[in-house]
Amino acid sequence: CMCLSPVVQRLRPRVCVSVSLLCQGLLLAAFAYTPYPVLGYLELAVYGLLQSLLWPAVEAWMTRGKEGAALTRVTNGYNFSWSLGAGLASFLAGVLAEASAQAPFVLSVSTFLLLVLCVWGSSLLVPLMRDMKSETMADRQETKEDHSTPLHFPSWAGIVLVYLANNTFLNIFPLYAMEQLGYSKAVTGLLLLARGLSACFCFMLISHSSFWQFRFWFIALMQGLLAILCAVAGFIGSVPLFVLYFICFGVVYAFCYELSMFHGVSGSTHRAKRMAMHETLLTSGQIVGAVLGGILYQHVSFQAVMALYGCMTLVALAAEAIWWTARKKQRNAEARSCAC
């Protein structure tokens, strides 16, 4: 994401999004008929690069020129859309795979191509979409001052931490639930569905509120709750408690994601680069969470995995509190010197 952020900044949003979608569709079609595993891995790597063109471009495109309540509405509409799409895609892939191994790929490729047509068709009908310049060109023609908030730093720490836990739940928890707790695949899937639905509806509620914006205490609160949730995850033994647990985790996950996205772009003149960093950090959390969680679960226990993530969250929270306190003292000192 960070390596390709200059490309995203130089291309018109609709061009960048369309190229990414079209290439992903063609690559997925090739992957479905690839006879060699090595070639399949290479295609997946290229697919990941194409995604790094898509997400920062979409996020920078939809947030350009928006602040405050308008920014909140558009980011949460986006978050609700992708979270709902991710849930539906998993369900549809499972149903279609039972009929044919190629069916999910056919639907995916068709969807990609349809989206490309939608982007270009909308661009022809909506002049604002058609005439929107690249971020680099817009910065050259318009003189803007950066009014971004430093709260994007603790918010970015939060997105890494919540994705450590989230990917552990998606990749390691099913093994723990079936091997250690004796839950069926259906029950395990329903528990994870509770997490997804909770996050999805929380995104809807966030769009109608603003109390969490530009508040360090709220960032700290979400990370504190995340640490508690990580600490108790390995000591729950009943399905109803797990349902309640994953509903709570879905809420914390949704807020951590929105805090990172909102504070990353709010007031910034380089939104594509900020969104590239957002995507880079959450992907790093996904990778580390899956790999580190898998190693610890195999050699120690699920409780050890979650306890480690809880401790990491507390350490990060303590560092953020020290940084914020020092920053406030510095600002107060500067204010007093200016007054004198």
Side-chain angles (χ1 to χ4, degrees), residues 40-339:
Y41 288 128
L42 178 61
E43 288 170 343
L44 287 175
V46 177
Y47 184 82
L49 288 174
L50 292 170
Q51 282 196 324
S52 67
L53 280 177
L54 176 66
W55 298 118
V58 170
E59 291 162 352
W61 189 5
M62 69 183 182
T63 60
R64 188 182 295 185
K66 294 180 176 63
E67 296 292 347
L71 179 60
T72 303
R73 283 194 299 271
V74 73
T75 55
N76 280 285
Y78 162 79
N79 290 335
F80 176 79
S81 298
W82 71 253
S83 57
L84 181 63
L88 290 175
S90 299
F91 172 74
L92 288 174
V95 172
L96 291 173
E98 292 183 355
S100 167
Q102 305 299 329
F105 292 101
V106 173
L107 177 62
S108 298
V109 172
S110 301
T111 303
F112 275 122
L113 297 178
L114 179 61
L115 287 172
V116 173
L117 293 175
C118 287
V119 170
W120 281 94
S122 300
S123 299
L124 293 174
L125 297 173
V126 182
L128 186 62
M129 289 181 63
R130 184 175 63 249
D131 299 335
M132 184 167 285
K133 304 177 180 65
S134 68
E135 189 173 275
T136 301
M137 184 64 69
D139 289 342
R140 287 175 183 171
Q141 295 179 354
E142 304 172 19
T143 304
K144 296 180 180 179
E145 292 186 10
D146 190 279
H147 297 288
S148 59
T149 168
L151 287 175
H152 64 269
F153 292 117
S155 298
W156 282 349
I159 197 68
V160 175
L161 294 166
V162 81
Y163 264 89
L164 286 174
N166 187 63
N167 248 42
T168 297
F169 287 135
L170 294 179
N171 294 281
I172 311 302
F173 176 77
L175 298 176
Y176 168 71
M178 290 184 285
E179 293 175 357
Q180 303 295 324
L181 302 178
Y183 294 166
S184 66
K185 292 180 180 179
V187 171
T188 304
L190 286 174
L191 292 177
L192 294 177
L193 179 62
R195 179 208 65 86
L197 291 177
S198 173
C200 194
F201 285 106
C202 188
F203 282 133
M204 292 178 62
L205 296 176
I206 292 173
S207 64
H208 300 288
S209 62
S210 60
F211 67 91
W212 50 272
Q213 296 174 5
F214 309 109
R215 301 287 189 270
F216 175 77
W217 66 265
F218 191 80
I219 298 173
L221 174 63
M222 287 299 104
Q223 293 183 19
L225 290 175
L226 176 62
I228 294 172
L229 288 171
C230 288
V232 303
F235 301 97
I236 300 174
S238 68
V239 172
L241 283 178
F242 263 125
V243 170
L244 179 62
Y245 176 90
F246 279 114
I247 290 173
C248 294
F249 181 81
V251 172
V252 172
Y253 167 84
F255 269 111
C256 286
Y257 191 98
E258 177 60 23
L259 287 166
S260 174
M261 191 171 182
F262 179 86
H263 291 128
V265 299
S266 182
S268 176
T269 56
H270 302 289
R271 299 194 171 192
K273 184 177 289 187
R274 289 288 184 86
M275 287 299 92
M277 177 60 76
H278 168 82
E279 293 294 331
T280 299
L281 291 171
L282 71 84
T283 303
S284 300
Q286 286 179 323
I287 295 170
V288 174
V291 174
L292 182 59
I295 294 172
L296 280 177
Y297 176 71
Q298 185 176 3
H299 294 93
V300 190
S301 65
F302 180 75
Q303 288 82 357
V305 176
M306 300 310 297
L308 174 62
Y309 293 158
C311 291
M312 291 171 66
T313 304
L314 288 176
V315 170
L317 184 55
E320 292 164 14
I322 294 171
W323 166 78
W324 187 249
T325 303
R327 181 177 175 80
K328 286 184 67 176
K329 288 181 178 178
Q330 182 182 2
R331 290 172 62 187
N332 291 336
E334 290 175 353
R336 284 194 296 269
S337 64
C338 290

